[in-house]
Amino acid sequence: MRPVAILGAAMTKFGVSEKTNLEMFAEAGLEAIARSRLEPRDMEALFFGNCLGDFEEGQLHMAPFAHAELGLPVSAPATRFESACATATVATRHAALLVGAGVYDVVIAGGTERATKMGTSLATRTFAMASQAQHESAAGITFPGVFAMATHLYAHKYNIPLKDLKRHMAGVAVKNHSHGSMNPKAHFQKKIDIDTVLGGMMVADPLQLFDCCPFSDGAAAVIVADAAKAKDLIKDPVYIAGMGQASCGPLYVQKDLTRVLAREASIAQAYKEAGIGPDDLDVIELHDCFTIAEILALESFGVYGFGKAYDAATKGETTLNGSRVVVNPSGGLKAKGHPIGATGAAQLTEIVEQLRGESGPRQVEGARIGLVDTLGGDLGTVCNIILTNGVN
Amino acid sequence: MEYKLTFNHYQQGLEQGKFLGLKCNACDSVIFPPAAVCRECGSTDLTPTELSGKGAIRTFTVIRVAPEGRKPPYIVAMAELDEGPWALGNLVDMAPEQADMGLLGKRVTLGSHVVKGDTYATDDTHVLTFTLKAP
């Protein structure tokens, strides 16, 4: 495969939006194209992410409409991707695979979601559609419920009193909200403390409101290009060093939910392709849909051993200017927000900006290698992309 | 390739109080609920079998913010069955307020209850239940 670069990357503000899915995607997409010093007519294909447009707006087959919004040429095919919360990362990976294979030179990838339009009750129902329908969502399992079950398993398996584990999980929320307070694009830009987290309403025992990311609206897009041409277009392209994607079945197949098997397989592929290991990462944007999810992810990456990442945030090891590796400087899904079809492309946008030194007050000094991690559904899909700025 | 034990047959089993799964003739593992291939070894040489309906709770949660059409609170749990598979269902003989970490490892008996279809998943479905007290 030939080397692949990311040129421009952009996201809308995440939060509650009055704009349609297409309007949000057009904003992010056109900005990503402009930042790449390109025109819409230069795009050879659109890899478009959206999960729930049919419930949000009664809109299926949104890809060709997004294509028209951006003014792409008729010869550029637009294809919709749906991998639950990992949608935009999976779309970008497939864009990069086809650019790497020489099928296209320049493509646009990303996604859009307007989740707040549904309201909590319908949104909870539709998100639960990403659980196995006959055996699991029929039992009334919800997304918070999946990670709540993982939390109880984690506490039991590693013999950590639940009360202690919850305090450390609250530390993850406090850290990510603190990072989000420095991100003008974040859904929530306010710091919180441990008492706020532990005082929140119970959503799915033992997860409380502030253990959970919000339903959000937003869009994000990246321009993926042949690395040989990237330098001619912009001065500081970011390169894709390695990618991985893996799949696992329903929860009853996964069994021990503290071990995200799809992530372990995906990150192994990405490390191998990039020729790096967990100690080489300077900055990580990972899938903290729930506080426990950040802990599980850091263990899957090998940044921490199994059963060892639970107190990383409270020990200050994963915070900006912390002692180990900066995790979710954007605020993560927790504070930046989680418009599911757009999330992966927003994580990529954050890492691209970090590797270019464009992140302002939340800049990770000297960041050279960054990891994007996105999880789809109830641990059924994981996609990882490792980026580098090519500076040794 | 003929599907050995369909969801429909599995559902009919639950209606009669039977827990139908498959035994892999290649590696001896038990597949529950039924599937087209053995999850352990990939073999399609499978024979229908009936499980004991006994197991132990491995984890749980109490759902307090429910999907549209559901009335919270209720308990969702995962149990490891004596034959090896894990299964997800509703723990039905404990008040949600009493559910705590003490549940983990508790022996349970399987049953099922009918969940009414909704706008999206229109079929009424037999869903597994767990009870702490033997019937």
Side-chain angles (χ1 to χ4, degrees), chain A residues 66-91:
Chain A
H67 171 285
E69 282 284 325
L70 291 172
L72 303 190
V74 175
S75 59
T79 310
R80 179 213 182 170
F81 284 74
E82 188 276 300
S83 297
C85 312
T87 290
T89 320
V90 169

Side-chain angles (χ1 to χ4, degrees), chain A residues 366-377:
Chain A
R368 289 172 39 239
I369 299 176
L371 169 65
V372 165
D373 165 83
T374 330
L375 178 148

Side-chain angles (χ1 to χ4, degrees), chain A residues 125 138-140 149 152 203 205, chain B residues 59-61 64 70 74 90 118:
Chain A
R125 174 71 182 95
M149 292 199 298
H152 282 147
V203 174
D205 301 24
Chain B
T59 190
F60 77 99
T61 183
R64 296 184 190 274
R70 295 296 175 99
Y74 52 88
N90 297 119
D118 68 2

Side-chain angles (χ1 to χ4, degrees), chain A residues 7 23 25 191 211 218-219 223 228 269 292 302:
Chain A
L7 307 178
E23 287 167 346
F25 189 72
K191 289 187 183 181
D211 286 301
I223 308 302
Q269 295 167 22
I292 186 75

Side-chain angles (χ1 to χ4, degrees), chain A residues 29-63:
Chain A
L30 290 173
E31 193 174 336
I33 292 169
R35 287 182 181 177
S36 307
R37 311 258 183 276
L38 290 164
E39 301 288 337
R41 64 171 179 271
D42 300 319
M43 301 298 118
E44 296 166 38
L46 166 60
F47 295 75
F48 176 78
N50 175 257
C51 294
L52 295 167
D54 34 358
F55 296 94
E56 293 157 356
E57 300 177 330
Q59 181 69 71
L60 270 179
H61 203 216
M62 206 187 287

